[in-house]
């Protein structure tokens, strides 16, 4: 969560916010078009990650951007990358990971930037998508329930807290799972969603709450998680397929069932309220993780956010 606070510094320097023409703070930039929205997402990767697990870093360059596009109710169109490496041999596994992921997900890599004369490996990847109906970080409303949908059919990619449930999955499953999010948006079953990021379930919920101007209460016991994983690590984890959705009570069973049909664990994990705080509860205890009345997190609340 401390790292996510860097977003606020960059947004302030650029003069951007959740009230910009294209709101900042979402998983993608949503650019209005006559028949919907173009979605533009980008990710950069820690140098240590690229160095330690270069093939998976390349795979993640594709996967996490596609996840961001899906989180906003979109379908991907194309991928571009920027790679730096100390020679072709160092770049090869990163490029191979990207190539395999792009083929498995069925999205073409159409260009990018290459520098093979660098003193370290670095990677950034961007994806263009399109949405007919948006899921955003700005539309959670008091009275909604917070649904967590996470693919538990995986393992940790040690030593990082990355829960990896994708590299062994068949192409049909990967593509069909991502297609659930735009289907939910287009069916009007949900307005607000967010991809579970490096901030974990609670940190991601905090970013959603801040953008929407709401509070969120999370019951830790309700969060889907692998039985073999202790909760403190799970709350730090970055799942390869994981989303939070703010869903009206009448639509909860429909949304949970859609994920369940594809073998994805989904559950109601808490309430969206007017409180302005992110709180967690477990075993009769309650704690405030973040109070937006005291300080912002990513600084991207919209002017239309609720007080």
């Amino acid at each position: 969560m401390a790292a996510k606070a860097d977003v606020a510094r960059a947004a302030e320097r650029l003069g951007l916010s959740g009230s910009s023409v294209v709101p900042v703070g979402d998983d993608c930039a949503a650019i209005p078009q006559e028949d919907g929205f173009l979605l533009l997402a980008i990710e950069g990767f820690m140098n240590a990650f690229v160095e330690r697990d270069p093939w998976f870093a390349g795979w993640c360059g594709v996967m996490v951007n596609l996840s961001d596009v899906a989180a906003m109710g979109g379908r991907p169109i194309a991928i571009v990358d920027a790679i730096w490496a100390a020679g072709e041999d160092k770049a090869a596994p990163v490029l191979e990971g990207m190539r395999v992921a792009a083929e498995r997900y069925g999205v073409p890599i159409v260009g990018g930037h290459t520098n093979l004369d660098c003193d370290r490996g670095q990677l950034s990847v961007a994806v263009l998508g399109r949405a007919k109906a948006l899921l955003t970080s700005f539309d959670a409303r008091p009275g909604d329930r917070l649904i967590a949908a996470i693919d538990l059919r995986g393992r940790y990619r040690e030593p990082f807290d990355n829960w990896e449930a994708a590299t062994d999955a068949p192409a049909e499953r990967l593509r069909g799972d991502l297609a659930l999010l735009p289907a939910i948006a287009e069916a009007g079953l949900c307005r607000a969603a967010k991809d579970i990021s490096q901030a974990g379930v609670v940190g991601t919920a905090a970013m959603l709450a801040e953008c929407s101007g709401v509070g969120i209460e999370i019951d830790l016991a309700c969060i889907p998680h692998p039985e073999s994983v202790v909760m403190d690590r799970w709350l730090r984890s970055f799942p390869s397929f994981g989303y939070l959705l703010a869903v009206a009570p009448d639509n909860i069973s429909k949304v949970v069932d859609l994920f369940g049909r594809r073998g994805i664990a989904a559950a109601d994990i808490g309430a969206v309220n007017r409180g302005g705080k992110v709180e967690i509860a477990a075993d009769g205890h309650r704690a405030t993780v973040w109070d937006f009345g005291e300080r912002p997190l990513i600084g991207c609340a919209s002017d239309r956010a609720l007080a």
Side-chain angles (χ1 to χ4, degrees):
M1 290 180 72
K4 290 297 182 183
D6 292 347
V7 173
R9 299 185 181 96
E12 183 179 10
R13 292 276 185 181
L14 293 168
L16 302 173
S17 73
S19 297
S20 300
V21 174
V22 175
V24 171
D26 236 324
D27 289 277
C28 305
I31 304 164
Q33 302 281 287
E34 288 184 3
D35 58 347
F37 298 84
L38 282 179
L39 302 177
L40 188 57
I42 186 169
E43 295 282 352
F45 294 86
M46 295 182 295
N47 292 346
F49 178 41
V50 177
E51 177 67 26
R52 182 105 181 217
D53 201 350
W55 185 93
F56 189 54
W59 173 284
C60 286
V62 172
M63 178 182 70
V64 298
N65 276 293
L66 299 186
S67 183
D68 283 343
V69 168
M72 294 196 65
R75 295 178 173 86
I77 298 171
I79 303 163
V80 294
D81 70 275
I83 183 172
W84 297 259
E88 184 178 355
D89 289 346
K90 289 287 190 179
V94 181
L95 294 170
E96 179 66 9
M98 282 194 291
R99 183 189 68 79
V100 174
E103 289 180 355
R104 196 83 60 83
Y105 283 100
V107 185
I109 297 174
V110 298
H113 167 86
T114 304
N115 184 335
L116 301 183
D117 187 21
C118 189
D119 63 349
R120 72 198 71 186
Q122 299 183 150
L123 176 66
S124 182
V125 180
V127 171
L128 181 69
R130 182 181 291 115
K132 295 178 181 178
L134 279 185
L135 301 173
T136 84
S137 298
F138 299 94
D139 288 303
R141 293 291 179 260
D144 286 346
R145 301 295 300 180
L146 190 68
I147 305 298
I150 307 172
D151 191 343
L152 304 181
R153 297 167 290 189
R155 74 222 49 91
Y156 279 112
R157 191 95 176 189
E158 302 289 359
F160 302 102
D161 290 326
N162 297 320
W163 182 258
E164 198 275 284
T167 57
D168 295 334
E172 181 281 330
R173 190 175 106 193
L174 294 175
R175 300 176 193 186
D177 290 351
L178 285 183
L180 281 174
L181 280 300
I184 286 169
E186 290 161 15
L189 296 176
C190 178
R191 298 180 304 269
K194 204 156 186 66
D195 171 46
I196 298 173
S197 70
Q198 203 82 49
V201 170
V202 177
T204 301
M207 292 187 287
L208 175 62
E210 181 178 22
C211 288
S212 290
V214 297
I216 290 178
E217 300 176 4
I218 297 174
D219 184 341
L220 299 186
C222 294
I223 298 174
H225 74 285
E227 292 182 4
S228 61
V229 179
V230 294
M231 183 58 74
D232 62 347
R233 186 177 192 187
W234 189 241
L235 292 179
R236 300 194 307 270
S237 298
F238 187 173
S240 59
F241 184 102
Y243 297 89
L244 298 180
L245 301 91
V247 178
D250 290 348
N251 291 329
I252 291 172
S253 61
K254 297 175 186 175
V255 171
V256 169
D257 182 61
L258 285 171
F259 287 107
R261 290 180 195 175
R262 296 196 62 85
I264 297 165
D268 180 343
I269 67 168
V272 179
N273 58 45
R274 292 183 176 274
K277 297 179 180 180
V278 176
E279 299 177 302
I280 56 175
D283 300 324
H285 300 282
R286 180 179 297 275
T288 297
V289 176
W290 207 276
D291 184 344
F292 297 109
E294 296 181 355
R295 54 177 172 155
L297 177 55
I298 61 173
C300 292
S302 169
D303 288 343
R304 64 188 176 84
L306 300 176

